[in-house]
Amino acid sequence: DGGITQSPKYLFRKEGQNVTLSCEQNLNHDAMYWYRQDPGQGLRLIYYSQIVNDFQKGDIAEGYSVSREKKESFPLTVTSAQKNPTAFYLCATTEGVEQYFGPGTRLTVT
Amino acid sequence: QKEVEQDPGPLSVPEGAIVSLNCTYSNSAFQYFMWYRQYSRKGPELLMYTYSSGNKEDGRFTAQVDKSSKYISLFIRDSQPSDSATYLCAIPAVGSARQLTFGSGTQLTVLP
């Protein structure tokens, strides 16, 4: 069953704690992306990676970090420096012009 | 000015209505134009994409691009309650078909 897996679906953290969101894919796609979605604001690009061991900042990278040690995995860490971390986080991969999205993780920080 | 602006909605229509969803963009170099559909609490899925001006039809859905006006539209004919979702226009960055700029989304509700 091919696709993109994001876990967990819901995540709750206290302010000041770092938290890592998982993204795994078995589509054999090279490029992977992290987006943040807030109500009424569409999707905003946090980080992307075109190949293993390489990644670039997107439009809103401050307060986030990523790694790409394996083709299948692109975890996102939301650090305590991120001022407004509560949001819906989406991971995606690309083949051609189409981006495929995972089911998302809803992070709530209180 | 944002690169992609989308009519915010929300939009509520009766079943069977024709729905028009619209976006404008600022960069005349944009070449591909996409529409994604996102059901509540799910990831977006690609609905349609077009490469040039004109219309592209897929069942009840028609994507329209007017490059002279920098205007893109998605029409839904004979709308169904199952069409209730958020619709996002998306445009790949110039020089890269991989980085997408998304509109803010229009939430559509089709009432039975």
Side-chain angles (χ1 to χ4, degrees):
Chain A
D1 188 21
I4 302 169
T5 304
Q6 289 187 246
S7 60
K9 190 169 182 179
Y10 298 97
L11 191 53
F12 298 89
R13 280 293 182 270
K14 294 288 186 187
E15 202 172 303
Q17 293 178 336
N18 291 356
V19 59
T20 298
L21 281 59
S22 166
C23 178
E24 304 279 332
Q25 57 111 350
N26 60 6
L27 300 169
N28 201 34
H29 293 166
D30 288 315
M32 297 185 74
Y33 305 78
W34 274 105
Y35 291 92
R36 168 184 174 137
Q37 188 174 30
D38 295 282
Q41 292 199 45
L43 278 67
R44 293 183 289 167
L45 183 64
I46 304 172
Y47 268 98
Y48 64 100
S49 168
Q50 305 275 35
I51 55 172
V52 174
N53 292 323
D54 187 51
F55 47 83
Q56 285 79 41
K57 293 181 179 180
D59 300 321
I60 55 164
E62 186 175 345
Y64 299 97
S65 66
V66 293
S67 63
R68 187 83 187 278
E69 296 176 3
K70 300 186 300 182
K71 188 175 185 178
E72 302 79 17
S73 179
F74 190 38
L76 172 75
T77 297
V78 184
T79 75
S80 55
Q82 168 49 233
K83 292 181 181 143
N84 230 353
T86 294
F88 188 46
Y89 290 88
L90 287 157
C91 177
T93 67
T94 288
E95 182 178 54
V97 299
E98 182 170 355
Q99 285 201 0
Y100 299 83
F101 286 86
T105 292
R106 186 166 299 278
L107 173 65
T108 302
V109 176
T110 57
Chain B
Q1 182 190 9
K2 288 184 182 177
E3 285 194 301
V4 180
E5 303 255 18
Q6 184 167 359
D7 289 351
L11 201 54
S12 184
V13 301
E15 184 175 352
I18 296 174
V19 176
S20 172
L21 304 165
N22 307 294
C23 290
T24 58
Y25 61 93
S26 58
N27 190 339
S28 58
F30 287 148
Q31 296 180 326
Y32 289 88
F33 306 91
M34 301 170 153
W35 286 97
Y36 279 80
R37 177 175 62 194
Q38 184 178 24
Y39 290 113
S40 183
R41 300 188 187 91
K42 305 283 187 187
E45 55 180 347
L46 182 66
L47 196 56
M48 296 181 70
Y49 74 89
T50 59
Y51 179 68
S52 59
S53 281
N55 293 351
K56 181 177 180 180
E57 195 172 310
D58 184 1
R60 297 184 293 108
F61 297 87
T62 299
Q64 187 175 83
V65 177
D66 182 349
K67 285 190 174 179
S68 61
S69 303
K70 301 194 190 78
Y71 197 83
I72 60 175
S73 298
L74 178 71
F75 298 97
I76 307 174
R77 289 188 304 279
D78 187 26
S79 56
Q80 302 294 310
S82 58
D83 295 327
S84 298
T86 296
Y87 291 81
L88 299 135
C89 59
I91 304 178
V94 176
S96 166
R98 294 169 177 265
Q99 296 174 50
L100 296 179
T101 298
F102 284 85
S104 55
T106 301
Q107 185 178 347
L108 170 67
T109 301
V110 180
L111 302 168

